[in-house]
Amino acid sequence: MLQKIREGSQGWVAKVIVGAIIVTFALFGAESLVSYFQSGSNDVAKVNGEAISRQAVETQVQRGIRSGQVPPEQERQYRAQVLDQLISQKTLDQYAEAGGLFVSDTQLDQLIVSLPEFQDQQGRFSDQLFTTRLAQAGYTPAAFRRELRADTLRRQIQQGLAVSAFVLPSEQQRLAALQQQQRSFRYARLTPADLAQPVTPSDADIQSYYQAHQDDFRRPEQVKVNYLVLNQQDLAHSVEVTDAELRQAYEQDRKAAPRRVSHILVTYGDGDRTEQQARARLEEVKAKLAKGEDFAKLAKTYSDDSSSAAKGGDIGVIQKGFFGQAFDDAAFSLDQGQVSQIVKSDYGLHLIKVTDIEIPSFEKDRAALVKEVQLAQSQDAFNEAVQKLTNDAYEADDLASVAKDMGLSLKSSDWFSRDGGGEGVLSNPDVIAAAFSPDVLEDGYNSEAIETDAQQRVVLRVVDHRDASVLPLDQVRDRVTAAVKGEMTRQRLKTQAEQAVASLKQGESVSGLNWQRVDAVTRDGADGVPQPVLEAAFGLPRPAAEGASYASVELPDAVAVVALDKVMAGKPDPQGADFIRRLAQRIKAQNAIQGLSESLQSEAEIEKR
């Protein structure tokens, strides 16, 4: 993958795209360090002395829950999985660093702009998609960039192991036979309705479960806060703008707007031609253009940039800062349809033509221009308001007086924890960190003005606090009762299924089993068959003639009894031979990667807290 990135970054079009990501990151600025540097007491694990913060775990957990991939009731189990995953990643990161593996900023930029998630319908990198989708996933650009770099280095390790893995012909044949194998089986679900009597937990059962699972009913440390939000948009709305100001802003935007560019490149040096000869060649082109000849046709004949020449010289849409000052000065001084004078760059000599300027008409852009001008003209007032908010919050013993003095609305939160945060701006990691900082939480001061984005600041004050504690049984009795009932029901169904399996193995009949038959399926499965049932059927030993093999398996809402009736060799599939070879290679590679990960963790000093 990285080699392809290196090769792709040599072309003009690739350089155009890479520039977009650089501009995007520049617009965001540096990520706040408040939540990045945490005290050692907030670490949940250390790997060879390197900390894994509680916030790193909780950030991943909340992303999983908000994405809908993790049900809220599985949060506790998921949190443990996330921690194990972060520990594994940390050992690989340390291994990569010790091995001197490296990903340059250029390679990282090229990788980001190549991701389909950030490309528009024309396959071009989109700033808007990039910022929107990162925000939806709970990432800042800096955090995403940091995680992608680490992930790319881990992939370098994994790809190296994958390339070194090899498969013997006998192993490939065995895997093909297993992959093509077909099985016929039956399965019957046992649900709570199949129990002779419904489960009714006693008070002793409830008390016992509550005592054994108190972590499930623990309330984290929480705070309530009063807070003020200073938003530049509120100041901007009161700014009146004239039509002349809007048209001036539009012209400025048009001059700097992305534009589609074609060029004719003539190289020189390295024994090819001299600079004088290159200029003479382009002067010949200029003469033909003056006579009305087509730029695109001349590019196909004269340009030394083979990748763009075939497309009439088109190098795509560019923004300022992509190809150096001289190229930018020429390209962004031209109107649509105009051709530059000869321009010298590090690549050679160019004639540049602007074929399109990507900006809507003035009327279509008017609403956006109004906001743009209002924001620009309110910047000084906003900066002054931020400074006043900072000073007043520092000097005041409350926020009500600050709100009254500045004309802001004093808002109050419900309880929230450092793990999940509150609603709206209170879910921002920097705001959460401030709420639980010693100055604010323990000493009772107002927070500093927290930058949640370029146009918004937040100040908060803790008004109530409660330590982490196990909730009294009376408050969680319904939850405990439901959990006990579910556990007891599962255990009774499991026992009933095991008894049925034991009877069936003895050749006895078992009443009440509603069998569902599945004939001649492969490991790829069949519609409607639960995956645990399929795995159990393919994990059972081959049955004796005229007999069956039996097992029980737990499902999310039931327990199933599985009866394997027949095992059949699959039909050879010559077209699937390549798939089998790749599958075998992948399994070998996964085993190698898993082996390395387990080895690194066994040798590492891992401390969980």
Side-chain angles (χ1 to χ4, degrees):
M1 177 192 295
L2 292 179
Q3 182 59 35
K4 290 183 180 178
I5 292 174
R6 296 188 187 100
E7 293 169 355
S9 66
Q10 303 305 311
W12 271 79
V13 175
K15 289 183 173 65
V16 171
I17 299 174
V18 167
I21 197 70
I22 298 171
V23 172
T24 300
F25 279 118
L27 291 175
F28 276 88
E31 185 182 17
S32 171
L33 298 180
V34 174
S35 61
Y36 185 70
F37 292 101
Q38 297 290 330
S39 62
S41 61
N42 201 31
D43 298 336
V44 293
K46 283 191 174 182
V47 181
N48 293 325
E50 291 190 28
I52 296 175
S53 70
R54 185 180 305 279
Q55 185 175 8
V57 175
E58 294 305 326
T59 298
Q60 296 286 8
V61 170
Q62 293 306 315
R63 282 176 187 152
I65 293 174
R66 290 172 184 173
S67 68
Q69 298 175 352
V70 181
E73 62 270 17
Q74 295 182 10
E75 179 177 343
R76 183 165 175 265
Q77 300 95 308
Y78 183 59
R79 183 174 287 105
Q81 294 172 7
V82 168
L83 178 56
D84 290 341
Q85 181 184 26
L86 291 177
I87 289 173
S88 175
Q89 290 177 351
K90 181 70 72 175
T91 60
L92 285 175
D93 293 345
Q94 294 170 347
Y95 183 76
E97 182 178 1
L101 299 183
F102 177 74
V103 177
S104 70
D105 288 340
T106 300
Q107 291 171 331
L108 197 62
D109 291 336
Q110 180 67 52
L111 177 58
I112 291 172
V113 299
S114 70
L115 293 174
E117 293 84 352
F118 306 140
Q119 294 176 352
D120 59 21
Q121 293 181 348
Q122 287 72 45
R124 298 177 301 189
F125 175 80
S126 167
D127 289 350
Q128 183 177 359
L129 282 176
F130 177 74
T131 56
T132 300
R133 291 184 175 171
L134 284 194
Q136 290 172 345
Y139 282 99
T140 64
F144 177 74
R145 187 181 181 87
R146 186 168 58 247
E147 289 194 23
L148 183 62
R149 184 188 300 276
D151 184 64
T152 302
L153 290 174
R154 295 182 206 120
R155 289 180 183 275
Q156 285 189 14
I157 297 172
Q158 294 168 349
Q159 288 167 357
L161 291 172
V163 170
S164 65
F166 62 93
V167 181
L168 297 174
S170 58
E171 293 176 315
Q172 184 172 330
Q173 292 171 2
R174 175 61 176 160
L175 182 60
L178 291 174
Q179 184 67 21
Q180 295 160 1
Q181 187 184 85
Q182 296 179 343
R183 295 193 170 200
S184 295
F185 60 90
R186 295 163 287 145
Y187 70 98
R189 293 174 182 265
L190 297 180
T191 68
D194 294 305
L195 294 177
Q197 293 181 342
V199 171
T200 305
S202 67
D203 287 342
D205 293 329
I206 294 171
Q207 184 68 41
S208 176
Y209 187 92
Y210 172 75
Q211 292 296 334
H213 297 83
Q214 293 208 345
D215 282 348
D216 293 344
F217 309 104
R218 178 176 293 276
R219 181 184 62 206
E221 180 185 21
Q222 294 178 320
V223 295
K224 282 185 177 181
V225 301
N226 286 341
Y227 64 103
L228 304 176
V229 179
L230 176 64
N231 197 314
Q232 187 179 352
Q233 293 284 358
D234 296 333
L235 299 176
H237 288 158
S238 63
V239 175
E240 295 184 1
V241 297
T242 66
D243 192 72
E245 289 171 331
L246 294 179
R247 291 191 179 277
Q248 182 181 5
Y250 181 77
E251 288 305 316
Q252 291 174 344
D253 288 350
R254 195 172 191 277
K255 290 178 181 179
R259 50 200 58 212
R260 194 171 193 91
V261 171
S262 295
H263 78 146
I264 297 173
L265 171 67
V266 178
T267 59
Y268 58 88
D270 296 330
D272 183 9
R273 59 173 74 91
T274 66
E275 181 178 348
Q276 185 177 3
Q277 290 171 327
R279 286 186 178 276
R281 184 174 173 84
L282 284 181
E283 290 292 349
E284 182 181 339
V285 174
K286 288 177 62 179
K288 291 179 179 292
L289 288 171
K291 293 179 181 180
E293 294 195 32
D294 183 60
F295 187 96
K297 291 182 179 179
L298 291 171
K300 293 178 180 179
T301 303
Y302 284 90
S303 182
D304 291 328
D305 181 11
S306 58
S307 62
S308 69
K311 298 180 290 185
D314 180 39
I315 58 175
V317 178
I318 70 169
Q319 298 186 40
K320 272 192 174 182
F322 287 3
F323 301 122
Q325 191 66 42
F327 195 97
D328 281 353
D329 288 345
F332 286 87
S333 66
L334 300 172
D335 207 340
Q336 185 172 334
Q338 292 182 333
V339 179
S340 72
Q341 297 298 317
I342 296 175
V343 178
K344 182 178 180 180
S345 77
D346 292 340
Y347 301 94
L349 301 179
H350 311 255
L351 285 178
I352 303 167
K353 181 178 181 178
V354 173
T355 58
D356 187 29
I357 297 178
E358 294 203 339
I359 187 171
S361 68
F362 175 77
E363 290 304 326
K364 287 184 177 180
D365 206 26
R366 176 182 284 273
L369 287 169
V370 170
K371 292 181 180 179
E372 177 186 329
V373 174
Q374 286 179 328
L375 280 176
Q377 294 187 6
S378 65
Q379 188 62 55
D380 289 343
F382 178 66
N383 292 340
E384 292 174 4
V386 170
Q387 189 59 55
K388 179 174 175 56
L389 177 64
T390 301
N391 294 339
D392 289 0
Y394 177 78
E395 296 170 357
D397 292 329
D398 63 358
L399 287 183
S401 60
V402 179
K404 183 178 180 181
D405 186 39
M406 296 193 64
L408 298 175
S409 174
L410 181 63
K411 302 180 180 182
S412 300
S413 77
D414 198 353
W415 292 106
F416 67 88
S417 69
R418 70 174 78 230
D419 294 340
E423 299 292 330
V425 296
L426 300 180
S427 65
N428 181 282
D430 294 341
V431 174
I432 298 170
F436 288 90
S437 66
D439 286 352
V440 177
L441 180 61
E442 298 171 12
D443 299 335
Y445 296 134
N446 295 330
S447 74
E448 296 179 350
I450 306 158
E451 180 178 352
T452 54
D453 61 43
Q455 297 161 8
Q456 185 171 265
R457 302 293 186 273
V458 175
V459 170
L460 59 85
R461 182 183 186 90
V462 171
V463 295
D464 204 352
H465 167 252
R466 57 190 184 192
D467 291 325
S469 63
V470 177
L471 294 170
L473 177 57
D474 288 345
Q475 291 186 21
V476 294
R477 179 173 291 274
D478 289 345
R479 288 170 54 193
V480 176
T481 301
V484 174
K485 187 173 182 179
E487 179 67 18
M488 292 176 66
T489 299
R490 185 183 66 82
Q491 288 295 339
R492 289 191 186 180
L493 287 174
K494 185 178 178 181
T495 299
Q496 188 169 322
E498 291 172 348
Q499 291 173 347
V501 168
S503 297
L504 290 168
K505 287 181 177 180
Q506 295 297 322
E508 302 171 3
S509 62
V510 177
S511 62
L513 295 179
N514 183 20
W515 292 107
Q516 299 182 55
R517 180 171 295 279
V518 182
D519 291 319
V521 297
T522 66
R523 296 175 189 272
D524 294 333
D527 291 342
V529 179
Q531 187 64 27
V533 170
L534 185 71
E535 293 174 359
F538 276 88
L540 281 168
R542 185 185 297 267
E546 304 302 325
S549 297
Y550 299 97
S552 63
V553 60
E554 294 186 47
L555 302 177
D557 57 349
V559 177
V561 176
V562 182
L564 175 62
D565 296 317
K566 191 175 182 181
V567 177
M568 300 151 286
K571 297 179 181 180
D573 181 12
Q575 295 181 347
D578 183 60
F579 168 76
I580 295 298
R581 179 188 59 78
R582 288 185 283 109
L583 177 62
Q585 190 80 14
R586 186 161 61 248
I587 292 173
K588 278 280 188 176
Q590 289 172 345
N591 289 339
I593 293 167
Q594 182 66 25
L596 173 64
S597 179
E598 292 175 355
S599 176
L600 291 175
Q601 291 186 58
S602 67
E603 296 173 359
E605 294 183 6
I606 299 174
E607 176 187 353
K608 291 185 180 180
R609 297 181 177 179

